[in-house]
Amino acid sequence: MEQLMLLFLLLLGAVVSVPVGERLKLPAPVLMTLAGIVLALLPFVPNVEINPDYILPLVLPPLLYASVQRTSWRQFAANLRPILLLAVALVFVTTAAVAFVANALVPGLPLAAAVALGALVAPPDPVAATAVAGQLGLPRRLVSILEGEGLFNDVTAIVLYHVAIAAAVSGTFSLPRAALELVLSAVVAVAIGVALGWATNKLIGLLGDATLQVGLTLLVPFVSYVLAEELMGSGVLAVLVTALFIAEYAADADDVMGRLVNRSFWEIVDTLVTGIAFGLIGLELHNAISAASGRWPEWSGWAAAVVGVVVFVRLLWLLPATWLAKRLHDRRDYEEEIPVSWRETVVMWWSGMRGVASVALALAVPLTMDDGSPFPGRDQIVFIAFGVIMATLVLQGLTLPWLVRRLGVEADAEAEEAFEQELALRATKAAKARLKEIEAVEELPEEAMEQLMRAALDIGMRINPDMLDDARKEQLAGRAKKMKRLRAIRGEMMSAARHEVLSARSEPGADPEIVDRVLRHLDVRSLR
């Protein structure tokens, strides 16, 4: 019961942290981590008891799926080079650097265990990076790269981690075998992701009802992850491919209710699961500190050294990598999004916060070896990992807004507005073209045609009023004012209708199911 109450507290905190974070201009994940730390320090709050084997499969699939909803495969393809430099190459470099330092500093820590430590602290957290970037109004190109890095670096790091753990537990390591496992893991994951994505899109088309469609999408990430892991593939990559396939080949443009329900549902899931995950990070810190028990100075020194390696390796890698990407971009004119100044590079560097994946992997380090002896350096690995997570997530998360303001890095509002205006114009032209096609085969009254042409223009005007010239703006301003008043009156009429229907719920003999069906009809009509 105590564990259940703790879960409800974290869920409440997840909801409350969003408006509080917006008011304080701080990322919600950072606030939830701090809340978890506060809870962990209270004597009456029980220790968290979660099987480490369940953390990754329960937390990562919904978070990854929700993150992919905000991007597309074409965006990944366009930014493949900078993403690979960060998500693959940087993870390998960070893992190697941390393993070298940890193996040299921590007495009795085998090289394989040091590599496992390097792999679990190497990947920046996609959830934290996206949450921070979304609140700070960063340029879209930076957000795209951070999202791509965050989604793909987990794949690389988790595979590296599993190879290192297997080598540490068994005491043997074969580079060719590890490389083969890496390739097979990726192939299996991609195959499962594509197959499951295709099957899901077919099922979504058959189900029809928005509620059932969303229920299916909730199950799919978990099925994709577990199935890939059972077949020796990468669960994270499988979820990523599945989500990208579903988003890329989403079927019906006219499925308005499906899109609205799906978006709302996944925003709720994203908020709640993110809150729980980062709250658990704070709560688990208590257990990591307890493991040190009197060896604080020495262990803290090791953690500080690894934090320095993680932070500065990222900077030392980003500077030449960004320069190289920019040179290749200028020479070959690729359509990719890269940092265009040293200020943006610095913001990308300071955005490398560690989070959910690092916690899950740290807690999943085995307790014993194959021969039954204790896993060497497990307590030190967990302590150092939490030191890195706290330093990067809390310190960088709290100071990143200040850094962004100080450097003056902000979204290109003019470019975004121009693209929005272009889309508004394209939408208007498409509506007019369809109207002319209908007019060619049907005889429509002149008055009706005028109304429909105005409606076509309204489509674009409501998306972006700036698409009109000054004369048209003035001409339509008066009509817009009248239409606004008419809409307000219609809204009041629909509100009266909804209140009347809802009041019938408390009447004797009223069937609540029928009341809800009529109310849903009114709600849908109000949306339209």
Side-chain angles (χ1 to χ4, degrees), residues 409-480:
V409 176
E410 56 186 16
D412 189 346
E414 290 184 7
E416 291 181 0
E417 187 176 342
F419 184 54
E420 187 179 88
Q421 189 167 331
E422 179 194 339
L423 289 177
L425 190 59
R426 286 170 58 181
T428 301
K429 285 181 177 178
K432 287 182 176 179
R434 182 58 185 147
L435 179 58
K436 287 179 180 178
E437 290 173 2
I438 294 171
E439 185 189 12
V441 295
E442 290 185 35
E443 293 223 3
L444 296 173
E446 188 176 340
E447 184 181 348
M449 275 299 298
E450 287 180 7
Q451 289 179 352
L452 290 170
M453 286 299 288
R454 285 200 299 269
L457 188 60
D458 279 349
I459 291 173
M461 186 186 70
R462 291 181 185 182
I463 297 172
N464 191 323
D466 293 333
M467 65 175 286
L468 303 172
D469 54 41
D470 292 338
R472 274 182 156 179
K473 275 185 192 176
E474 261 184 55
Q475 180 185 356
L476 290 171
R479 188 166 63 84

Side-chain angles (χ1 to χ4, degrees), residues 55 120 277 280-281 284 355-364 385-386 389-390:
I55 294 179
L120 69 89
L280 286 175
I281 291 175
E284 285 289 350
V356 179
S358 296
V359 172
L361 293 177
L363 297 178
F386 272 89
I389 293 162
M390 287 298 114

Side-chain angles (χ1 to χ4, degrees), residues 38-287:
V38 171
L39 285 174
L41 295 175
L42 297 176
F44 54 85
V45 175
N47 284 334
V48 181
E49 295 175 7
I50 300 178
N51 189 328
D53 294 337
Y54 294 152
I55 294 179
L56 279 178
L58 287 178
V59 171
L60 276 187
L63 291 181
L64 288 171
Y65 191 90
S67 297
V68 173
Q69 304 297 303
R70 297 185 287 269
T71 186
S72 69
W73 169 251
R74 296 185 189 280
Q75 191 176 56
F76 278 122
N79 298 310
L80 185 61
R81 187 170 49 213
I83 287 173
L84 285 178
L85 281 171
L86 290 170
V88 178
L90 181 53
V91 168
F92 276 101
V93 172
T94 304
T95 299
V98 170
F100 175 79
V101 171
N103 181 248
L105 288 180
V106 182
L109 187 68
L111 182 59
V115 172
L117 171 62
L120 69 89
V121 298
D125 188 82
V127 180
T130 303
V132 171
Q135 284 189 355
L136 297 179
L138 295 178
R140 183 60 210 171
R141 58 182 168 273
L142 289 190
V143 178
S144 298
I145 296 172
L146 287 171
E147 287 176 343
E149 177 197 9
L151 291 170
F152 277 101
N153 61 24
D154 281 350
V155 177
T156 311
I158 289 172
V159 172
L160 272 177
Y161 168 85
H162 285 312
V163 170
I165 289 293
V169 168
S170 64
T172 60
F173 175 74
S174 168
L175 183 59
R177 182 178 177 182
L180 180 62
E181 287 179 1
L182 180 65
V183 173
L184 287 177
S185 174
V187 170
V188 169
V190 170
I192 289 173
V194 170
L196 199 57
W198 178 84
T200 302
N201 272 339
K202 291 294 181 185
L203 273 174
I204 286 174
L206 292 173
L207 289 174
D209 183 74
T211 306
L212 298 177
Q213 291 173 349
V214 173
L216 177 64
T217 63
L218 177 61
L219 296 175
V220 164
F222 296 103
V223 172
S224 181
Y225 185 95
V226 173
L227 187 60
E229 290 289 326
E230 287 294 320
L231 297 177
M232 307 303 292
S234 167
V236 175
L237 182 58
V239 174
L240 186 60
V241 173
T242 302
L244 284 171
F245 192 98
I246 293 172
E248 189 71 16
Y249 298 100
D252 191 2
D254 295 324
D255 186 14
V256 179
M257 280 301 296
R259 261 193 311 280
L260 290 174
V261 173
N262 185 73
R263 185 179 181 84
S264 300
F265 175 81
W266 277 103
E267 284 179 354
I268 293 169
V269 170
D270 193 19
T271 300
L272 295 179
V273 178
T274 299
I276 291 174
F278 285 91
L280 286 175
I281 291 175
L283 285 167
E284 285 289 350
L285 180 64
H286 181 265
N287 295 331

Side-chain angles (χ1 to χ4, degrees), residues 346-359:
V346 169
V347 170
M348 278 197 63
W349 162 52
W350 206 243
S351 300
M353 294 161 282
R354 273 59 182 175
V356 179
S358 296
V359 172

Side-chain angles (χ1 to χ4, degrees), residues 473-488:
K473 275 185 192 176
E474 261 184 55
Q475 180 185 356
L476 290 171
R479 188 166 63 84
K481 189 176 181 181
K482 290 179 184 176
M483 291 297 294
K484 186 177 180 181
R485 179 57 187 152
L486 287 175
R487 281 198 300 272

Side-chain angles (χ1 to χ4, degrees), residues 256-257 260-261 490-491 493-502 505 514-528:
V256 179
M257 280 301 296
L260 290 174
V261 173
R490 278 200 296 267
M493 292 166 60
M494 292 300 293
S495 177
R498 286 193 296 269
H499 277 85
E500 182 62 28
V501 171
L502 194 58
R505 250 183 170 274
I514 297 174
V515 172
D516 290 343
R517 190 190 311 158
V518 174
L519 195 60
R520 178 179 171 80
H521 170 78
L522 293 175
D523 288 340
V524 172
R525 189 166 178 184
S526 298
L527 282 174
R528 291 174 179 171

